[in-house]
Structures are given as structure tokens and as C-alpha cells.
Amino acid sequence: MTQSDDTKISEDRRDALRYALGIGSGAALAAALTTPAAAQTPADNTLDRIRANKVLRIAVLPGELPYFNKDLASGTWSGFSIEMANDLAKLLDVKLEYVESTYGNSILDLQANKIDLGFALNPTPQRALVVDFTSLVFPHPFGAMLKKGLEAKTWADINKPEVKIAVDVGSANEAVARRFAPNATIKSLKSRDEVMLEMSSGRVDCVVNALVLGLTAIAKNPNLGTYKILQSPAVTIASGTAVRRESDKRWRDFLSVWIDYNRGIGQMREWFVKGLGLAGVKPEDVPVELSI
């Protein structure tokens, strides 16, 4: 496939999204995104302001692969969330403005009107009290890094006293391990680095963690073993995008439709796998059970 073919496909996909949203392009886009006589001014609504200023402000998090990665030499950003942001910018015909932040500060930046969109955020009840969330980007599954020779498909397979599990203390990983493998021998360590050291030294049989953490750790050190999403039950934590809370929900609702559309056509998974590739994860190592 030539580059021109890729460009044509990308243009066709954006056109299809415009029609799916029922907004067309050009004048039709402007008409559909403006309310009747009581329309708000650009200063009143995020979507209006983005289109008026031709700028979409997003939080970027250095070193948070597969979502964000900054090339220190060129200053160029890449990653799953950047792929999403680039597509949005093309669709809305605006430029991207990067605001370096952290996961926690992204919520504060939204409230302070420093950014228009926060990527890769878990919609917790506490956060939902102060910001709005779009529809789900993907359910981030939990499972285990298994030492070579250890087979496990369900939580019951590691929920045994003879199975030694390492987790980082106070984390979601520890909470999941203690809830779904309470009969195992669980070692809570101070940091992720200590957890990986226990695993690489053979002092534990597995590490319970979220998919991204497991896949990227094994990509760095294949000797750690293999990663498996565990079932019965499927354990996930939502990964979404957050927006500032405002009475006019057009920006949030537009993003939700955009997310659902790109999940439906498989684009989200393609962007996600590409982001994982920056961390050394091969496409064939991404579990087929991942629902994105």
C-alpha cells in the first residue's frame, strides 16, 4: 500500500466519522455544532473555543508509555494518546498544544482551564465528582506475569498457598491480588523495581499487575516469563478521557461518539498496539482477549 493510499483511507475514515456524527463538513459542521438563538460564545464552551481559537490543549505525561513518549532530542511526542490527539486535531482542523503534566495534575489542569482534554485517566468516583468523563476508551485488564513453566488461565490457578506472588504495596495490583488470590503467598514490596527483582531472581512465581505494566516489563526483560490476562472473573479498570465539567455537554458527547466510532472500526486497537511498540512490545504479544 502506498503513502497516498494510506492518506486516502485516513481521509475516507474522517469523512465517514463526520457523516456518522451527522455533521458533515465545512458549513454543515459549523451549523450542527452551534445551538439555536441562545448559542454560547466561544468563551462559554470548550468545543466552541477550540474551534474558534484553532487550538486543542492536551496534557502530556513524559515517560508514560504506551500513552506518551517524548523524544528528548527532537521534542517530538508519540504514543497511543498522541495518536488519538492527532486524529482529533485533523478532524476538527486545529493545532495541538502540549501541556506537560502528571496523572494527578491532569484533573487539576482541567479544573484550572489549562487543558481541554486529559487522556489515559481512570474514571474513579472521586474524580467524577469534579470532572466529566467520556465513554470508555478500553477496559484495562489485570492478570499476571508468570514464570516460565507456570500455566494459569484463571485466578483460581494462582489462588494457592504454594504460589508466591509479588506486588507493590498500596497499589491497585496489591488490592486485586488480595481480593482474587487471597490463598496465595503474597509478598508486598515497596516499589515496582523490587517486585521485578523478586521475579527475575526466581523468588516468586508470578506478579499480579495490569496488562500495560506486565507487557512492558517483559518486553524489557523477556526472562521474566509471560503475561496472561486472568479470567473467572475478568478484572478490569476503566481507561478513559476526562473533560472539564460544564453545563453544555457537546464537547464530552462529541468525544464519546468519536471514541465509540474508532473502537468499532478497530482503530483504537491499532493505535494502542503502535504505542506498545514504542515500549518494545511486539504486536503478536498483545493478548487477543484485550477488548479495545
Side-chain angles (χ1 to χ4, degrees):
M1 183 177 292
T2 66
Q3 184 173 0
S4 60
D5 290 332
D6 288 336
T7 302
K8 182 63 167 59
I9 291 172
S10 179
E11 291 174 349
D12 288 346
R13 190 173 65 77
R14 289 197 293 274
D15 288 341
L17 178 56
R18 290 190 178 99
Y19 284 113
L21 292 169
I23 59 178
S25 58
L29 175 63
L33 294 179
T34 304
T35 55
Q40 294 179 310
T41 65
D44 295 327
N45 173 265
T46 298
L47 182 55
D48 289 335
R49 189 181 61 255
I50 289 170
R51 295 179 59 243
N53 296 339
K54 293 288 185 180
V55 174
L56 170 59
R57 304 170 300 169
I58 67 167
V60 287
L61 287 57
E64 292 292 346
L65 285 169
Y67 308 102
F68 302 94
N69 183 62
K70 185 179 183 180
D71 186 298
L72 297 180
S74 65
T76 302
W77 286 91
S78 57
F80 175 39
S81 297
I82 301 301
E83 294 286 339
M84 295 169 66
N86 284 334
D87 191 72
L88 277 170
K90 291 176 183 177
L91 179 63
L92 296 171
D93 191 25
V94 298
K95 295 181 179 180
L96 288 176
E97 180 178 304
Y98 302 130
V99 178
E100 291 199 19
S101 189
T102 64
Y103 285 121
N105 286 340
S106 292
I107 301 297
L108 299 175
D109 291 340
L110 280 170
Q111 291 179 288
N113 196 18
K114 293 181 179 179
I115 59 174
D116 304 309
L117 181 59
F119 287 104
L121 293 172
N122 303 129
T124 65
Q126 294 85 354
R127 287 172 173 175
L129 289 172
V130 294
V131 297
D132 279 348
F133 285 91
T134 65
S135 61
L136 177 72
V137 174
F138 75 104
H140 192 174
F142 280 80
M145 296 167 52
L146 307 170
K147 71 177 183 180
K148 293 181 179 180
L150 178 61
E151 298 291 333
K153 295 182 178 180
T154 69
W155 292 100
D157 292 332
I158 65 170
N159 188 25
K160 303 171 183 177
E162 62 270 24
V163 177
K164 297 178 182 179
I165 300 175
V167 291
D168 44 324
V169 66
S171 66
N173 303 320
E174 181 183 32
V176 168
R178 294 194 180 281
R179 179 171 181 181
F180 297 101
N183 296 322
T185 301
I186 299 175
K187 300 180 69 174
S188 297
L189 302 165
K190 291 181 180 180
S191 67
R192 292 179 189 171
D193 288 341
E194 291 184 32
V195 168
M196 296 307 161
L197 182 59
E198 286 292 292
M199 186 69 178
S200 62
S201 65
R203 289 192 288 267
V204 295
D205 302 304
C206 64
V207 172
V208 168
N209 53 15
L211 175 133
V212 165
L213 296 176
L215 290 182
T216 53
I218 291 174
K220 292 179 182 177
N221 183 4
N223 292 325
L224 289 174
T226 59
Y227 186 86
K228 183 69 178 179
I229 296 175
L230 298 179
Q231 305 293 336
S232 301
V235 182
T236 66
I237 186 169
S239 181
T241 57
V243 297
R244 188 167 38 263
R245 175 157 296 161
E246 51 194 6
S247 58
D248 188 330
K249 304 298 183 183
R250 286 179 296 150
W251 177 229
R252 183 200 66 183
D253 293 347
F254 164 75
L255 289 171
S256 292
V257 171
W258 175 82
I259 288 168
D260 291 344
Y261 178 83
N262 282 289
R263 282 195 69 188
I265 64 173
Q267 183 62 71
M268 283 294 182
R269 185 180 181 91
E270 183 179 318
W271 286 332
F272 187 67
V273 172
K274 184 177 180 180
L276 284 170
L278 297 174
V281 179
K282 299 176 182 177
E284 59 268 26
D285 292 332
V286 181
V288 295
E289 307 99 307
L290 177 64
S291 176
I292 184 173

